[in-house]
Amino acid sequence: MKYIDAIDYQLEIGRLEESSFPTLLQSYSKSKKVIIVDENTHDNCLSYLITTFDDLAEAEVILLPAGEENKQMSIAFSVWEALTEYQVGRNDLIINLGGGMITDMGGFIASCYKRGCDFINIPTSLLAMVDASIGGKTGINLNQFKNQIGVFSNPKSVFIDTSFLQTLPLEELESGYAEMLKHGLISSKDLFFEILEQLEHPTELSEALLLKSIEVKNKIVKQDPLENGWRKVLNFGHTIGHAIEGHFMGTLNIPHGHAVAIGMVMEAFLSVKHGKLSVADYEEIEPAILTHYKMPNLSDEDIQGMIALLSNDKKNSEGRINCCLLTKIGDCTIDNYLPESYFMEMFMHFKNLQINLN
Ligand SMILES: NC(=O)c1ccc[n+]([C@@H]2O[C@H](COP(=O)([O-])OP(=O)(O)OC[C@H]3O[C@@H](n4cnc5c(N)ncnc54)[C@H](O)[C@@H]3O)[C@@H](O)[C@H]2O)c1
């Protein structure tokens, strides 16, 4: 069992039975327990939980439709209604069992319900293990605007048990690796290349590498829990990644990490254009990422749609788009405010690149 101190709770990495999860459940022995799952974690992860831990035998299960397009207010509303119907109180416990969609939305639901109800995260996707379930950001989308509504709120505990990854589809596993690559790109060249190497054998993830990635995120979050400064560096690849994910939601449904991977290539491209990153570093990053993550074909309408989303990004100021830019592989700057025209030019570059390749 590995323990990492987060802000005011602990991350535990190892088999759930060997963690402090059973003890935690005992401390809620008189409380109601509610498990929030989506269709896939219901089918693949739930039975282990309720058959292994007696304290969960009577737990209520709330089943949500899977997919990012369901991280929406109408679904959150229906969960609040269900919690009310089950007479869940402030001292009861919500258990989020799922990927980042469930930990983001379940955390948000718990934090607003009766002004705050205890919750824990049991991430079941790689992306949620290395990123979404830790750090206290919870929220939902507003139509195509990613995480437009949300609160900072920490879980009581996070239990990371990699045996849940056995049923995770490969595409979703790769999605998690994208956030790990981001952790490398913003903090350590060696880590970036170690993760790339591991991505050649995605199902054989080493726990040591998982830990290194979690530690990058946790260290940054502890320095700046409410994202007033340095924590913004974790948004590298996300300004554009969110626009890609939001724009294609309901059509191509590009998984979060894949959108972030493409966003990282594009933001690295902007880093070169802005005179921060060397062409040599860019030429290492671009092919390495695009070998694993497919750039979607971009039409003029797609570009317009993404520009519209970027123009309303929550980090913008005075009409400029706030973007992280790399200075080298392993170092990144925050709070670069770029005009919309830079993004238009960048999208046209990648569109023309595709035309030339075809
Ligand atoms: N709060 C944060 O700091 C933070 C950070 C990064 C990403 N996010 C958010 O996380 C979300 C992306 O997370 P995600 O990629 O985990 O998405 P997800 O929760 O939608 O999971 C991806 C898919 O994998 C399935 N799945 C999950 N675990 C499984 C398992 N063990 N077996 C089989 N199927 C399984 C899900 O049902 C879903 O279909 C986005 O909403 C993103 O905005 C939040």
Side-chain angles (χ1 to χ4, degrees):
M1 212 67 207
K2 297 275 185 325
Y3 302 91
I4 299 180
D5 284 329
I7 298 164
D8 52 7
Y9 63 98
Q10 257 196 344
L11 307 169
E12 296 190 26
I13 300 118
R15 284 295 290 167
L16 203 49
E17 292 120 291
E18 290 157 24
S19 73
S20 68
F21 183 59
T23 317
L24 178 132
L25 287 177
Q26 275 163 20
S27 68
Y28 285 90
S29 60
K30 296 202 168 62
S31 308
K32 291 195 176 75
K33 266 79 73 187
V34 179
I35 308 172
I36 303 184
V37 287
D38 72 12
E39 291 147 313
N40 298 317
T41 60
H42 174 274
D43 292 354
N44 294 294
C45 312
L46 181 66
S47 69
Y48 158 70
L49 209 66
I50 47 184
T51 56
T52 311
F53 303 99
D54 292 345
D55 286 306
L56 292 178
E58 310 273 286
E60 302 286 359
V61 175
I62 296 183
L63 172 62
L64 306 187
E68 186 63 26
E69 66 279 18
N70 296 304
K71 202 173 117 179
Q72 293 284 352
M73 188 53 113
S74 57
I75 305 281
F77 197 83
S78 65
V79 179
W80 284 317
E81 285 182 326
L83 294 173
T84 307
E85 195 180 309
Y86 295 145
Q87 300 185 351
V88 172
R90 286 179 82 176
N91 298 321
D92 294 331
L93 180 69
I94 294 181
I95 300 170
N96 299 318
L97 179 68
M101 180 267 195
I102 289 292
T103 58
D104 268 19
M105 184 144 97
F108 173 70
I109 288 167
S111 306
C112 298
Y113 181 73
K114 298 191 176 175
R115 297 201 181 91
C117 178
D118 289 353
F119 70 99
I120 62 167
N121 288 335
I122 305 181
T124 60
S125 71
L126 179 59
L127 193 140
M129 291 178 189
V130 297
D131 197 351
S133 73
I134 54 185
K137 275 190 183 178
T138 72
I140 54 172
N141 305 326
L142 183 67
N143 304 320
Q144 289 176 304
F145 292 102
K146 287 272 305 164
N147 307 326
Q148 191 85 340
I149 318 284
V151 292
F152 283 97
S153 177
N154 284 310
K156 285 282 154 202
S157 276
V158 178
F159 298 101
I160 298 171
D161 182 341
T162 52
S163 55
F164 285 118
L165 297 179
Q166 282 160 16
T167 56
L168 190 70
L170 181 62
E171 191 187 35
E172 298 300 344
L173 198 60
E174 289 166 346
S175 187
Y177 275 98
E179 296 284 11
M180 295 174 73
L181 287 171
K182 178 195 73 182
H183 291 156
L185 280 174
I186 62 172
S187 74
S188 152
K189 184 169 183 169
D190 287 349
L191 182 60
F192 175 66
F193 284 104
E194 256 183 273
I195 294 162
L196 270 180
E197 213 177 299
Q198 177 79 78
L199 193 45
E200 297 296 325
H201 314 280
T203 54
E204 294 158 28
L205 175 61
S206 98
E207 194 179 287
L209 205 53
L210 181 91
L211 279 172
K212 278 189 197 173
S213 181
I214 292 172
E215 270 162 359
V216 171
K217 167 139 192 191
N218 190 49
K219 191 173 162 205
I220 294 171
V221 168
K222 278 173 83 173
Q223 254 176 284
D224 177 21
L226 300 181
E227 200 176 281
N228 294 315
W230 186 234
R231 182 173 176 167
K232 291 180 200 167
V233 75
L234 290 166
N235 294 329
F236 175 64
H238 283 65
T239 298
I240 298 173
H242 278 166
I244 296 173
E245 191 184 3
H247 175 72
F248 290 106
M249 203 186 294
T251 53
L252 294 182
N253 285 329
I254 299 177
H256 179 80
H258 290 249
V260 167
I262 301 303
M264 290 195 291
V265 172
M266 292 180 169
E267 291 180 19
F269 178 86
L270 285 176
S271 309
V272 176
K273 284 276 156 200
H274 211 62
K276 299 222 181 236
L277 182 70
S278 70
V279 173
D281 270 7
Y282 179 76
E283 285 178 347
E284 291 205 76
I285 297 168
E286 190 209 80
I289 293 185
L290 294 185
T291 307
H292 296 283
Y293 303 92
K294 193 175 173 299
M295 171 88 60
N297 284 321
L298 300 177
S299 67
D300 288 339
E301 291 72 36
D302 293 329
I303 294 175
Q304 290 299 344
M306 290 188 284
I307 291 283
L309 292 175
L310 282 167
S311 310
N312 207 344
D313 190 281
K314 53 190 170 308
K315 304 181 292 299
N316 292 357
S317 175
E318 295 175 10
R320 290 189 166 228
I321 300 165
N322 187 351
C323 191
C324 295
L325 298 177
L326 291 177
T327 51
K328 62 177 184 183
I329 300 177
D331 192 39
C332 191
T333 58
I334 59 169
D335 286 339
N336 300 282
Y337 290 92
L338 308 182
E340 204 179 282
S341 58
Y342 278 42
F343 291 82
M344 181 58 95
E345 208 181 299
M346 178 276 299
F347 281 132
M348 292 313 289
H349 164 83
F350 283 99
K351 183 185 175 211
N352 293 334
L353 198 71
Q354 285 168 335
I355 292 169
N356 293 338
L357 286 175
N358 288 336

